[in-house]
Amino acid sequence: MTLPSHARTIVIGGGIIGCSVAYHLARQGRKDIVVLERSKLTSGTTWHAAGLVRRLRSSATLTKLINYSIDLYGELEHETGQATGWIQTGSLTLATNPDRLTNIKRQVSLGRAFGLEAEVVDAKRAKELWPLIETDDVIGAVWSPADGRVNPSDVALALSKGARARGVQIFEDTAVTGLQKTAGRVSGVEVGDHVIAADEVVIACGLWSREVAAMAGAHMPLYACEHFYILTKPLAEVQALGKGAHLPTLNDQDAFLYARDDVEGLLVGCFEPHARGLSLDRLPKDFSFDLLDEDWDHFMPMMENALRRIPALDRAEVRMLLNGPESFTLDSQFILGESPEVPGLFLMGGMNSTGIALAGGAGRAMAEWIIAGAPTMELNEADIRRFSPEMNVLAALEARIPEVLGRHYDNPFPGRAMDSARGQRRSPIHVGLVAAGAQFEARGGWERAVHFGGEAAHQPLNFGAPPWRDQVAAEVEACRSGAALLDQSAFGKIMVQGPDACAFLNRLCAAQMDLPEGRIAYSQILNARGGIESDLTVQRHGPEAYLLITGAGEVVRDLKHMREIRGDFRAEFTDVTSGYAILGLAGARARSVLQATTNTPVPDLKRFQFAPVEIDLARGWAGRLSFTGEEGYELYIPADMAMAAYEALLDAGASHAGLYASSSLRIESGFRAFGHELTPGTTPHEVGLDAFCAMGTGFVGEDALQDHIPARRIVSMLFDDPEAIPIHDEPVYFAGQVVGQVTSAAWSYRLGRSVALAMISGPPGFFSEKSSTADGTWGVEVEIACTRYTARAALKPAKEAFQ
């Protein structure tokens, strides 16, 4: 078969991911598809993957993708004649301490929001389900009967067979040597001296994806790690199960282990705490169906854990210690989507050991994105646009990725943070915050102060009342009655200038942008379906000059949207995030403290106005708004003057507050946040922000909002029991039925109990006054770790509805 000179779509990579993308593109009617594989199909990571498929994940998106995968893997054999090895064995997850038990119970509750049932069982039942294990330290377990496993290579071959049957051309032993661009858009693939012109290119090269993406100048921050598991020869205890019988998949996360039966023996793998990264220059160029060297010294601590849990291993003869590389990402979520830097180049990889389970659903999601030109479902957590180019730094990847693998089984406690690759992006006042005892978390590469009081106020982490509650109480009080200083410098800042700046922004943003100079508009950027792509404020600085203030993780998304719609608009835009600090100053004393720093009068600003201000030796401008919902300002200071302004404000009586305090106040005030209440799948009407949409201005998504009547809404909730500690995603029940999920939660220092925001679905009229109680609230239940807690829900903010 001869390489073509043109293809509509080229998929680079013939593992399970590349085969799935090609299959789903063809299944949806796309013609002229080519797959290029440097070696043979299934080489790389696919062939040595363990093949575990667990339905329940940490989010609705991941769970939906995996459930689709399972359905597909069961159908492929009938369609193609190629077996996939799908076996529904169920899975058993053990807990040996109360925190682990709480975590797996939380997963059970989350599953009920998606219609997945799992059972919490005791140690005796766990032993019945997995007779080979020692259970003397097991305090509980979760049995998930719908889980199973597949043969990864067989799944990939079935997908490739289905793709070929629909006209996809697959070329093995065909290494890509370069990518071509025309006018900034990907336009072709080089295979030695041969060039295949293409309308779009998909990179699904596993370990090599970052390097292939770099051929086109695209960023794909992933990195490889060594991943170990042992295979034993047949064991009498496994053979005793009987022919065709299988054990469930075993997850012993406290011991960093997973296990299953394999050819009458056992497969036991690990996510060891002290994982090892793998630079690709250690691999030969023809690395294919190869493995890394066995390293028993490195694996031995995990082997000791395995012998403790499965005593029969002591009598087993080890067939091999498999050491195969896998790729991981900075935040342990996979990468999917169109490159923000190179239009037409689609990226998928960094599967974090979930590639086999996700391949079917993620392949379909990628195919739909390619065909539709935009995501067709909620994909925020996997979207490549969550990573800025600054995060694709090799030193950061080499430091962070082994920790990501090593903490794969960590309990997801509130306040948990990675230790490696820290300090990459720091606020201009970072040194001052350190001296004040700030406790930081790394978010999007930025060091963000979450509270003060240091490590002593942060540990130990748990799922109950956090150790920082008293510290944050003082910070919240300062935000109300004092003058609390909040570092918001990580917010994105984009300058828009030009004769058509106003018209351009009226196309981009849902709110009216033709506002007077010195005014601030609150707005969203929508997609064509009316979903919210970004949440921002826009300042008008002149007839042809605006400044957009957006979320720290939304800059890449916003710039991509701006490039896509600019067209003939005479407008330029520039990311100026690093040029300015933003200091929030919240509380009843904010104005007096600000005035004490300057000899010039503080402007008498109305809400959503801004004006120049001098702060001791610094100058900038002040905006009359606060994300806390309390009185206050946002102060915008050039980065080189930020420390001078910061020191002057402290000298004038300001105190510190962190993100935990502002989050508590935000949720009390009912303010929505992107990635929580606001997502590409939610509309302004659903989240109560339709009043900010200037209908008739022609903004993207306006047509989708015409006559839009939402069937779901964001509500505020106040829990009745002070012991209820929601985090996020807990299912909400009304009249015994799941009607929604928590989107954000925090402790309310005003009300002395937990408050939350939740997205609730209801039948017509559900949100009317007639359906509520006399005080305008509804009685609901929220399930947290398999326990139901009562709460009241209201459309108004908690601080108004529940006083």
Side-chain angles (χ1 to χ4, degrees), residues 468-545:
W468 55 79
R469 182 175 285 181
D470 290 344
Q471 169 63 37
V472 174
E475 296 174 23
V476 165
E477 183 57 34
C479 289
R480 289 196 184 121
S481 61
L485 195 63
L486 301 109
D487 183 22
Q488 299 169 187
S489 302
F491 284 1
K493 309 156 194 92
I494 303 172
M495 185 68 73
V496 179
Q497 297 170 294
D500 294 338
C502 180
F504 170 68
L505 289 175
N506 264 336
R507 177 65 178 155
L508 177 74
C509 299
Q512 174 59 259
M513 294 293 109
D514 192 8
L515 61 159
E517 294 178 33
R519 292 287 297 179
I520 302 172
Y522 172 57
S523 184
Q524 285 74 46
I525 295 174
L526 307 182
N527 55 40
R529 303 186 310 278
I532 298 170
E533 293 284 342
S534 186
D535 184 57
L536 67 166
T537 58
V538 183
Q539 306 171 3
R540 189 163 196 175
H541 284 256
E544 300 180 0

Side-chain angles (χ1 to χ4, degrees), residues 526-608:
L526 307 182
N527 55 40
R529 303 186 310 278
I532 298 170
E533 293 284 342
S534 186
D535 184 57
L536 67 166
T537 58
V538 183
Q539 306 171 3
R540 189 163 196 175
H541 284 256
E544 300 180 0
Y546 292 78
L547 182 66
L548 281 57
I549 308 296
T550 188
E554 297 165 52
V555 177
V556 174
R557 304 177 66 90
D558 294 348
L559 291 173
K560 187 173 189 295
H561 282 290
M562 295 167 89
R563 286 192 291 268
E564 289 171 347
I565 72 164
R566 175 162 54 181
D568 295 329
F569 286 114
R570 295 170 299 166
E572 300 295 331
F573 40 88
T574 307
D575 179 4
V576 296
T577 299
S578 298
Y580 295 92
I582 300 180
L583 307 181
L585 189 64
R589 296 183 56 242
R591 181 185 175 89
S592 63
V593 166
L594 184 58
Q595 184 62 72
T597 68
T598 178
N599 293 326
T600 61
V602 171
D604 186 15
L605 299 172
K606 295 182 179 178
R607 192 161 174 77
F608 286 99

Side-chain angles (χ1 to χ4, degrees), residues 23 26-28 30-31 79-80 161-168:
Y23 169 84
R27 181 170 170 169
Q28 295 180 45
R30 176 62 60 93
K31 305 295 183 185
E79 176 189 333
T80 67
K161 190 172 182 179
R164 280 192 172 108
R166 292 175 169 85
V168 174

Side-chain angles (χ1 to χ4, degrees), residues 187-248:
S187 59
V189 173
E190 299 172 6
V191 180
D193 295 333
H194 186 83
V195 176
I196 309 173
D199 295 343
E200 62 245 341
V201 174
V202 181
I203 293 177
C205 312
L207 312 176
W208 298 273
S209 293
R210 180 175 183 267
E211 284 67 27
V212 175
M215 293 177 179
H219 297 280
M220 194 173 181
L222 53 80
Y223 194 76
C225 273
E226 300 181 23
H227 187 191
F228 295 84
Y229 63 75
I230 61 165
L231 294 167
T232 77
K233 292 183 178 180
L235 264 172
E237 290 87 345
V238 178
Q239 292 173 321
L241 298 172
K243 189 173 182 179
H246 295 281
L247 293 165

Side-chain angles (χ1 to χ4, degrees), residues 196-332:
I196 309 173
D199 295 343
E200 62 245 341
V201 174
V202 181
I203 293 177
C205 312
L207 312 176
W208 298 273
S209 293
R210 180 175 183 267
E211 284 67 27
V212 175
M215 293 177 179
H219 297 280
M220 194 173 181
L222 53 80
Y223 194 76
C225 273
E226 300 181 23
H227 187 191
F228 295 84
Y229 63 75
I230 61 165
L231 294 167
T232 77
K233 292 183 178 180
L235 264 172
E237 290 87 345
V238 178
Q239 292 173 321
L241 298 172
K243 189 173 182 179
H246 295 281
L247 293 165
T249 298
L250 180 70
N251 299 289
D252 185 3
Q253 296 170 348
D254 293 323
F256 317 107
L257 300 174
Y258 61 87
R260 66 170 174 85
D261 61 274
D262 184 85
V263 195
E264 298 186 336
L266 291 175
L267 179 157
V268 182
C270 67
F271 290 95
E272 72 273 27
H274 304 291
R276 293 200 306 212
L278 176 68
S279 174
L280 293 188
D281 59 18
R282 286 177 48 197
L283 301 179
K285 290 185 178 180
D286 60 352
F287 190 88
S288 179
F289 291 99
D290 300 288
L291 295 170
L292 304 170
D293 293 338
E294 292 187 354
D295 189 338
W296 278 102
D297 288 340
H298 182 77
F299 185 72
M300 191 51 65
M302 299 299 100
M303 189 66 189
E304 291 171 356
N305 287 352
L307 289 166
R308 167 75 178 81
R309 181 61 60 212
I310 309 172
L313 282 173
D314 194 40
R315 299 184 295 279
E317 186 176 348
V318 175
R319 182 153 51 96
M320 68 180 304
L321 171 60
L322 186 145
N323 180 4
E326 291 192 33
S327 55
F328 293 77
T329 63
L330 292 162
D331 61 0
S332 75

Side-chain angles (χ1 to χ4, degrees), residues 32-43:
D32 196 15
I33 303 166
V34 168
V35 175
L36 305 177
E37 164 54 46
R38 63 189 287 273
S39 178
K40 302 295 185 185
L41 293 181
T42 79
S43 63

